[in-house]
Amino acid sequence: MYKHDVIVVGAGGAGLRAAIAAHEEGADVALVSKLHPVRSHTGAAEGGINAALRAGDSWEDHAYDTMKGSDYIGDAPAVETLCQDSPEETIQLEHWGMAFSREEDGRVSQRPFGGLSFPRTTYAGAETGHHLLHTMYEQVVKRGIQVYDEQYVMELAVTDHADPEERSCHGCIAYDIKTGELNGFVADGVVIATGGPGQLYAHTTNAVAQTGDGQAMAYRAGVPLQDMEFVQFHPTTLPSTGVLISEGVRGEGGILYNSEGERFMFEHGYAKNDGELASRDVVARAEVTEVEAGRGFEDDAVHLDMRHLGDERITDRLENIIHLATDFEGVNPLEEPMPVKPGQHYEMGGIETDENGATCIEGLYAAGECACVSVHGANRLGGNALPELIVFGARAGRHAARSESVVPQIKTGPSAKIEDSDVESPVALGLDEESRADIVADGGALLDATAEDVVTHTLEQEQQRVETLMERDGVNHAEVRSDLQQTMTANVNVFRNEDGLKQALRDIHACRERYRDVGVSDPSRTFNTDLIHTIETRNLIDLAEVLTLGALARTEFRGAHWRQNFQERDDEHWLKHTMVAWNDGSPELYYTDVILEGEDKVYEPKIRSY
Amino acid sequence: MSTHVPESESESETGAPEQTEEQIPAAQQRRLAKKQERSDQREQRAESESETDEQTVHLKVFRYDPEVESKSRPRFDDFHIPFKKGMTVLDALIYSRDHYDSSLTFRHSCRQAICGSDALFINGAQRLGCQTQVSDLDDPVRIEPLPHQEVVKDLVVDMEHFYEQMDAVDPYFRDEDVPSGLEEQNQTRENREKIKMSTRCIWCGACTSSCNIAAGGNYLGPAAINKAYRFAMDDRESDALQQERFETIEQENGVWRCQTQFSCTNVCPKDIPLTEHIQELKREAVKSNLKFW
């Protein structure tokens, strides 16, 4: 049993920042991560960090752009906090030595980005995330913060009160990947910073490790998941791997063609003014429409051509793209067009938190892509993911380390409910009796027990779960995961309709039934990735269900959520957050208010035009 | 064509404990029957896939697991998998694992050459599995764990020594005299350009594995020295702190152990001129020492 004041689960951008903040508060803090910190997916971020740093810009303008970009599903207190804290957090990184790109006068560079009214995106080449991740890991090393790397956190240790708002989190259980032992971690504060669930989809820009573990654990512990139906798809990813081809290619003048040689963005009227530079959701929908009309390449792609830009300009500004296309697709973009298609890129929703990173369970916090403090709403602006990591990572870490309570502006937990949903699922959701007895480990433990007792109890449950999985002969998790990814890709993708979403819920249910028979073939305790992937797959099933249920219920078109038959934003009925809570094994859908009232202004919803 | 020919298939079968019919409960029997059915289906699918595809790739993959009897003696397993244009070595490994043997173990995550997890010894050279196109390699593709590091299991090596060496150079920005608030420490474009390549390191360990001086010794190795270079050459660190850095760089296990063989530079997946950086630090070390002589 390990004991610390604060445990941070996940060591990407948000986790590292949270650990540093907790350490600065004087807490004994430890990071627990299934990867070594420098392997985290934050390293793959390319774009930059939005921060109002310069004369002529202001946090208010940044907040306005972000609210508008969110399609008014962002919460103003969270958005304003992001924009107020980002400049200081960004310069903090500079003070820690981050290798930002520089202006002639030696200050950090800023550049324009989509949806921003001022060029406020600070960056380090096209590798901003790599630099941010390494800079923060360096600071963790400098401070001597304990890191438990390659320890896979499987479940949270939470008390078992009926009302989630009365529960407390006392730690977590981790599988030591190298030895196969399960370890209990006891802590007063647990910060979840495990990233998004990109592996829900067959085709994603996300790392293979992005399986939404933290979201699934928090959900099962009783924290609602918020706005999960809002998933961002990036229009230019490589077909065979999902590797991202930066928006910069289109920014520099790259052209999209269909298999008939048409510049379809213009010729088929998807975006007569902006063409390839229309917003991400518009371009992604156009590409899928072309492919479905039989004008794609190899059944699923269109072509992105940048040869006309000339070798010199490409090498100067888009060097990285040459390497990516060559290494990962076997295509030299100086000589031939790159095949591209939309891919899952970012989950706007996640673990419901307030602006301090706190969830409705005492002692449990979340930050980064896994969390939904609600800064991105229905659609995230480019350059807003990295400031989210540092701003809310720092706040979550700081608050987890402090004992005094603060009154947040954003209310969390079931008591924030304004109404229930009346959507009907075509199949029963959640766990059935058999799987409940067999594989469930809800993180629920004793009432009013000591922290150690709660952790010990959860540890025993998890040991039982691992034993069962290891002993059972059965379905390989990879088959279940593949089925799940296929149905999400077919039915809960760029386009959504009622039949498809209902089919997805049936398929997810079937995956859950098959998962009852899942077994780990590898008998070894040493580095058993078969076991880890099997547990991850369970997490993905729970998240797929939440996401799809929310999408089925939301009968409007908002941000990244496009519904056939409902192609208007419906502010009258849908200006609200989707919440799904794991109510003793069955998901319960309800809604909470969107907060459009900021510090000294109210953000009036305006029509988004392209 | 056979799709998967583990040389020890029969061994691993006999490794399973034998049970008589009566001992097996009905539910378990159903499961076993299902398992057999699924395994047959998998085999059929694999065969039809390899029949319809014109090309297959032959992988020879290193296997070892100290805990499992049939794998406790290192061996190579053969996997024959359908080839697709654009397929990387990592794709081929994932295919092998997900279709034929779920116990095949290797590190991987981002599969876009930024997390540094999947440095492997592929056809005799250190490369990232995700960054290496199968079509660029001679068949069969021989995949082994990084040399000079202890093998934990299959293709996974123990990275602890590598991480310790990275830590040994105080791998963090150290200027305590930073401005406050929103004031920046200005850095010239030239200075940023100078350190740029050194900051691209993804800690994959390919360089250190390729260096026969770092092998088995305490030499800091190219990755750690490159990390030191990244800070030593950053103008934002004060002269006094840089002087301290040179003491680390110049220590017994520092830059002077490098024999300029360029193997690190040759294998670096991010094209960092590692050998050049080490030579430059040697020059700087000499110059800074001359000040005191």
Side-chain angles (χ1 to χ4, degrees):
Chain A
M1 195 89 81
Y2 297 94
K3 277 189 195 177
H4 294 277
D5 297 335
V6 176
I7 294 285
V8 181
V9 183
L16 295 170
R17 187 65 190 88
I20 294 167
H23 187 262
E24 282 175 348
E25 290 291 315
D28 164 24
V29 56
L31 284 152
V32 190
S33 173
K34 74 175 166 182
L35 307 172
H36 183 279
V38 302
R39 318 287 176 210
S40 304
H41 194 56
T42 298
E46 294 173 10
I49 308 170
N50 295 339
L53 292 175
R54 302 282 181 250
D57 197 11
S58 67
W59 72 260
E60 286 91 345
D61 288 351
H62 185 189
Y64 177 80
D65 293 343
T66 304
M67 284 301 286
K68 188 174 155 197
S70 81
D71 227 349
Y72 303 96
I73 291 284
D75 282 335
V79 168
E80 292 190 343
T81 300
L82 175 90
C83 303
Q84 286 165 348
D85 288 8
S86 181
E88 197 174 324
E89 284 292 335
T90 304
I91 296 306
Q92 174 76 83
L93 290 167
E94 200 287 322
H95 292 171
W96 286 340
M98 182 161 157
F100 282 104
S101 295
R102 298 283 166 170
E103 302 287 356
E104 285 295 350
D105 63 5
R107 298 183 305 166
V108 299
S109 285
Q110 296 203 296
R111 63 183 170 196
F113 243 55
L116 300 181
S117 55
F118 189 90
R120 69 169 71 91
T121 309
T122 59
Y123 60 98
E127 310 149 340
T128 314
H130 167 78
H131 291 287
L132 179 141
L133 180 70
H134 283 257
T135 301
M136 283 204 286
Y137 179 63
E138 288 157 17
Q139 292 300 309
V140 163
V141 173
K142 184 178 186 178
R143 287 163 170 76
I145 293 170
Q146 172 87 47
V147 179
Y148 299 93
D149 69 323
E150 299 197 325
Q151 294 246 7
Y152 176 48
V153 175
M154 300 165 60
E155 206 66 291
L156 301 167
V158 174
T159 58
D160 209 11
H161 299 84
D163 180 354
E165 291 176 41
E166 287 175 16
R167 292 176 195 165
S168 308
C169 180
H170 293 295
C172 60
I173 310 304
Y175 169 83
D176 184 329
I177 298 174
K178 283 183 213 108
T179 66
E181 281 168 26
L182 291 193
N183 293 322
F185 287 85
V186 181
D188 299 329
V190 175
V191 182
I192 301 177
T194 53
Q199 289 297 317
L200 283 170
Y201 290 86
H203 193 78
T204 173
T205 63
N206 284 198
V208 181
Q210 302 307 103
T211 50
D213 302 314
Q215 293 180 337
M217 286 189 281
Y219 173 54
R220 290 197 297 269
V223 184
L225 295 181
Q226 178 176 345
D227 295 334
M228 289 288 282
E229 68 269 30
F230 296 114
V231 182
Q232 185 163 72
F233 295 89
H234 198 288
T236 58
T237 71
L238 296 175
S240 56
T241 51
V243 166
L244 183 70
I245 297 297
S246 165
E247 213 158 303
V249 175
R250 282 171 291 138
E252 293 292 336
I255 296 175
L256 290 165
Y257 291 109
N258 63 19
S259 62
E260 291 174 13
E262 296 166 314
R263 193 174 177 181
F264 58 88
M265 287 307 299
F266 290 102
E267 290 184 42
H268 288 273
Y270 299 106
K272 286 183 177 161
N273 295 323
D274 295 340
E276 284 84 4
L277 287 172
S279 69
R280 285 178 180 179
D281 52 338
V282 174
V283 181
R285 280 192 290 271
E287 290 174 1
V288 175
T289 306
E290 287 300 299
V291 168
E292 286 182 353
R295 297 190 290 268
F297 294 92
E298 310 238 329
D299 297 336
D300 66 352
V302 296
H303 274 173
L304 175 60
D305 196 349
M306 62 177 191
R307 290 172 296 177
H308 57 282
L309 302 177
D311 290 7
E312 197 181 324
R313 185 159 164 208
I314 296 170
T315 312
D316 181 42
R317 303 189 191 183
L318 299 164
E319 185 198 339
N320 196 31
I321 300 304
I322 305 172
H323 298 309
L324 293 174
T326 312
D327 292 343
F328 302 111
E329 199 67 32
V331 167
N332 179 354
L334 297 174
E335 288 166 8
E336 52 186 324
M338 293 173 276
V340 292
K341 70 177 201 179
Q344 191 278 351
H345 186 52
Y346 189 89
E347 169 59 74
M348 265 76 74
I351 301 164
E352 183 200 30
T353 73
D354 65 25
E355 66 271 31
N356 301 320
T359 70
C360 66
I361 292 181
E362 192 196 342
L364 185 61
Y365 299 77
E369 188 179 345
C370 72
C372 185
V373 59
S374 204
V375 285
H376 308 309
N379 179 47
R380 178 178 67 79
L381 292 182
N384 263 356
L386 296 182
E388 182 194 15
L389 302 183
I390 49 179
V391 167
F392 293 101
R395 292 176 78 91
R398 215 173 285 139
H399 285 270
R402 279 183 197 157
S403 52
E404 84 265 29
S405 59
V406 280
V407 181
Q409 286 176 269
I410 297 172
K411 291 197 195 82
T412 59
S415 61
K417 180 199 290 189
I418 52 165
E419 60 181 289
D420 286 309
S421 165
D422 55 3
V423 71
E424 280 185 21
S425 165
V427 280
L429 300 176
L431 298 172
D432 53 44
E433 285 308 315
E434 190 177 339
S435 55
R436 195 181 299 257
D438 207 8
I439 54 153
V440 68
D442 275 5
L446 320 169
L447 298 175
D448 303 323
T450 66
E452 283 81 1
D453 286 347
V454 175
V455 174
T456 304
H457 179 81
T458 314
L459 181 64
E460 285 162 4
Q461 274 188 337
E462 288 303 290
Q463 266 159 349
Q464 188 54 50
R465 172 155 74 144
V466 169
E467 290 305 320
T468 307
L469 290 171
M470 294 285 285
E471 280 168 16
R472 198 161 52 197
D473 274 326
V475 180
N476 180 346
H477 81 88
E479 293 175 31
V480 180
R481 191 186 287 200
S482 169
D483 288 353
L484 189 75
Q485 291 172 337
Q486 295 306 331
T487 194
M488 293 301 284
T489 303
N491 299 309
V492 202
N493 205 320
V494 175
F495 290 118
R496 295 156 181 202
N497 61 51
E498 186 176 337
D499 288 348
L501 292 167
K502 285 186 168 170
Q503 185 55 46
L505 283 172
R506 284 186 209 103
D507 294 340
I508 293 162
H509 184 71
C511 287
R512 205 186 274 289
E513 286 190 335
R514 294 188 76 203
Y515 192 84
R516 262 194 243 139
D517 286 331
V518 89
V520 176
S521 316
D522 187 349
S524 176
R525 292 270 164 176
T526 308
F527 225 97
N528 194 328
T529 52
D530 195 5
L531 173 68
I532 293 166
H533 294 157
T534 302
I535 294 169
E536 290 171 345
T537 300
R538 160 73 201 279
N539 292 339
L540 289 170
I541 293 170
D542 287 345
L543 297 176
E545 197 171 75
V546 172
L547 199 165
T548 308
L549 186 63
L552 177 65
R554 188 174 283 274
T555 49
E556 67 159 350
F557 168 22
R558 186 182 298 269
H561 175 68
W562 184 100
R563 279 287 301 264
Q564 197 180 24
N565 302 335
F566 300 100
Q567 297 196 15
E568 295 286 332
R569 192 178 79 190
D570 179 0
D571 287 342
E572 192 187 333
H573 298 102
W574 287 106
L575 211 53
K576 56 193 181 188
H577 294 298
T578 305
M579 297 288 166
V580 182
W582 179 256
N583 197 342
D584 199 22
S586 60
E588 188 183 297
L589 177 61
Y590 65 90
Y591 295 97
T592 63
D593 273 325
V594 171
I595 309 173
L596 296 178
E597 198 178 333
E599 243 175 44
D600 49 27
K601 73 191 277 193
V602 175
Y603 297 85
E604 289 293 340
K606 291 183 179 157
I607 297 298
R608 259 173 104 209
S609 61
Y610 303 112
Chain B
M1 172 173 272
S2 137
T3 50
H4 171 214
V5 197
E7 282 153 13
S8 61
E9 199 166 60
S10 54
E11 280 174 47
S12 57
E13 285 295 310
T14 54
E18 284 190 22
Q19 279 182 303
T20 60
E21 289 270 321
E22 302 88 74
Q23 286 172 311
I24 304 173
Q28 177 80 355
Q29 273 189 31
R30 278 200 300 277
R31 283 215 178 92
L32 286 175
K34 263 202 229 169
K35 190 191 178 196
Q36 186 57 46
E37 195 186 317
R38 273 191 294 269
S39 136
D40 292 347
Q41 281 170 359
R42 250 205 312 274
E43 248 167 58
Q44 273 175 14
R45 189 179 63 204
E47 259 172 46
S48 68
E49 278 172 11
S50 68
E51 275 164 18
T52 50
D53 270 274
E54 285 171 12
Q55 266 183 297
T56 58
V57 182
H58 179 187
L59 306 182
K60 289 187 90 65
V61 184
F62 180 87
R63 306 301 301 273
Y64 167 73
D65 186 337
E67 250 190 90
V68 177
E69 207 187 329
S70 61
K71 280 171 73 183
S72 62
R73 280 179 49 209
R75 63 166 203 247
F76 282 86
D77 277 359
D78 296 84
F79 296 95
H80 296 264
I81 60 164
F83 173 77
K84 274 188 191 157
K85 187 172 183 250
M87 176 178 256
T88 65
V89 170
L90 179 64
D91 294 335
L93 283 173
I94 291 173
Y95 191 96
S96 305
R97 180 193 68 199
D98 288 353
H99 287 74
Y100 306 136
D101 183 351
S102 61
S103 74
L104 177 58
T105 305
F106 45 95
R107 286 193 183 97
H108 68 297
S109 184
C110 76
R111 46 85 183 106
Q112 59 185 83
I114 196 71
C115 78
S117 301
D118 69 338
L120 296 162
F121 198 55
I122 301 164
N123 281 2
Q126 286 82 359
R127 316 171 201 245
L128 297 182
C130 67
Q131 203 186 26
T132 306
Q133 290 283 317
V134 165
S135 58
D136 290 344
L137 299 169
D138 291 336
D139 196 75
V141 178
R142 195 178 163 94
I143 306 170
E144 298 164 78
L146 283 185
H148 302 141
Q149 275 139 300
E150 195 188 330
V151 178
V152 176
K153 175 177 169 182
D154 293 349
L155 301 172
V156 173
V157 293
D158 188 345
M159 295 289 285
E160 281 311 311
H161 182 63
F162 177 82
Y163 295 146
E164 280 164 17
Q165 299 294 62
M166 295 301 273
D167 278 357
V169 297
D170 295 337
Y172 39 79
F173 189 73
R174 294 195 304 174
D175 207 328
E176 304 298 347
D177 191 24
V178 291
S180 59
L182 292 179
E183 195 189 330
E184 299 165 32
Q185 314 164 88
N186 286 355
Q187 181 183 29
T188 63
R189 283 186 170 183
E190 292 70 29
N191 186 241
R192 199 248 171 197
E193 203 57 31
K194 181 163 185 64
I195 62 164
K196 186 176 84 180
M197 292 309 288
S198 69
T199 62
R200 289 195 172 161
C201 175
I202 56 172
W203 296 45
C204 69
C207 58
T208 302
S209 166
S210 78
C211 172
N212 56 20
I213 301 149
N218 287 321
Y219 171 43
L220 286 170
I225 293 176
N226 175 70
K227 192 77 178 169
Y229 176 98
R230 180 253 170 279
F231 293 108
M233 295 299 168
D234 193 321
D235 284 347
R236 292 173 295 172
E237 270 202 357
S238 71
D239 291 347
L241 285 166
Q242 288 188 352
Q243 190 57 42
E244 272 180 46
R245 280 206 186 276
F246 275 101
E247 283 166 24
T248 312
I249 292 162
E250 264 213 286
Q251 52 148 305
E252 189 190 346
N253 293 309
V255 288
W256 302 111
R257 300 285 285 275
C258 168
Q259 295 180 6
T260 333
Q261 293 172 344
F262 287 95
S263 58
C264 54
T265 305
N266 289 338
V267 300
C268 177
K270 306 307 277 188
D271 299 327
I272 302 170
L274 293 157
T275 313
E276 217 170 279
H277 286 171
I278 299 170
Q279 298 319 302
E280 202 179 334
L281 288 176
K282 285 182 186 172
R283 283 198 297 276
E284 289 298 319
V286 171
K287 276 198 272 179
S288 67
N289 278 343
L290 286 174
K291 284 180 201 161
F292 299 101
W293 289 346

